[in-house]
Amino acid sequence: MNHSSIVRRAATLAGAAALASFASVSHADPISLTGQCIMTSLVAGQSQCSLLATMRDDFTAPAVVRKAQIKINGVLVTQAVNDSVTPVGFFATGVSGSMTVACGASYNVAGFIMRQGANNYEQVGHLPAVACPAAPQ
């Protein structure tokens, strides 16, 4: 193997490692929250990442939720509203949102629900900060 093919192979492996995703999970019965950061572009000095957050029920007991929100660093990325006349149990399943973020940084993901009959949101699922991968130098 010559020097240039070794360098090319090392660059390929570094690029593949950089595109790996970083995820965090929090289980707060009956609702869990996940955050996953994926590098979406790898351009020298201009890499971008996408942070996806998802809120799910555990399917053991329906949480009659009227509204659900997900925020990344305090910015609302998704809000879902259940039918307040005929609410559906297990509403939080599949509530997700994403945001383009800078790579190589960490972000706070928070989920909030408003239960049927309530007027205030409550935070669910406490995630540690979600770290996004850094671009190779």
Side-chain angles (χ1 to χ4, degrees):
M1 207 181 266
N2 64 29
H3 179 69
S4 64
S5 67
I6 292 172
V7 169
R8 237 187 335 264
R9 183 180 300 255
T12 301
L13 290 173
L19 291 173
S21 63
F22 291 68
S24 293
V25 178
S26 171
H27 298 286
D29 293 338
I31 296 173
S32 66
L33 183 66
T34 61
Q36 181 178 23
C37 195
I38 300 168
M39 187 175 292
T40 56
S41 70
L42 182 59
V43 177
Q46 299 177 356
S47 59
Q48 285 187 335
C49 285
S50 180
L51 180 53
L52 172 67
T54 304
M55 188 184 310
R56 292 192 172 97
D57 299 284
D58 68 0
F59 292 107
T60 60
V64 182
V65 176
R66 202 173 82 200
K67 295 181 181 179
Q69 294 181 337
I70 297 175
K71 295 180 180 182
I72 297 174
N73 278 6
V75 176
L76 182 66
V77 293
T78 192
Q79 177 167 304
V81 179
N82 200 351
D83 182 349
S84 60
V85 176
T86 55
V88 177
F90 306 112
F91 168 66
T93 298
V95 175
S96 64
S98 64
M99 174 177 198
T100 300
V101 296
C103 297
S106 294
Y107 298 90
N108 295 312
V109 175
F112 301 89
I113 61 169
M114 183 183 297
R115 296 182 189 275
Q116 187 68 25
N119 292 321
N120 297 318
Y121 281 95
E122 63 183 90
Q123 187 170 352
V124 294
H126 299 278
L127 284 179
V130 178
C132 290
Q137 299 296 323

